[in-house]
Amino acid sequence: WAHKNHKGFKLHVTSRTYNLTVDHSRRILGSTLGHPATWNDKTLILFDEFVCKVKDGIIPEDFTFKLLEHDKDGNVQEVLYRGV
């Protein structure tokens, strides 16, 4: 049973699935520990502690990221944001 549960839909070998949470610059903020490949995204998200905390309103303030924006004159500038 355990061997069959870890096989993906199109795979003949066991495999694992991971969810990653990244910011706009693709920096990894959180990751799941890995689950059977037969689980879909709706199931995986239930085990993602980082996403569950954000959903509950616990937003970490120690993350900063930069986005490119246009200023009032149309020039591109980097803007530093905090949070998620």
Side-chain angles (χ1 to χ4, degrees):
W1 176 84
H3 180 73
K4 188 175 184 178
N5 190 34
H6 284 269
K7 287 186 179 181
F9 178 66
K10 297 180 181 179
L11 300 175
H12 300 289
V13 296
T14 59
S15 58
R16 303 288 286 169
T17 302
Y18 299 86
N19 270 5
L20 295 176
T21 304
V22 298
D23 64 8
H24 298 294
S25 62
R26 298 184 187 127
R27 180 178 57 159
I28 297 173
L29 304 176
S31 172
T32 58
L33 296 176
H35 300 284
T38 55
W39 292 10
N40 63 21
D41 291 339
K42 292 178 183 178
T43 304
L44 286 175
I45 204 71
L46 297 174
F47 297 94
D48 192 328
E49 292 180 28
F50 182 80
V51 172
C52 290
K53 287 179 182 178
V54 171
K55 182 181 175 188
D56 292 337
I58 304 170
I59 300 174
E61 290 294 328
D62 59 340
F63 293 114
T64 58
F65 57 94
K66 296 177 186 176
L67 292 179
L68 298 178
E69 293 185 359
H70 292 281
D71 62 9
K72 62 181 179 181
D73 298 324
N75 300 319
V76 177
Q77 62 181 7
E78 284 187 354
V79 179
L80 184 66
Y81 287 93
R82 294 180 58 83
V84 191

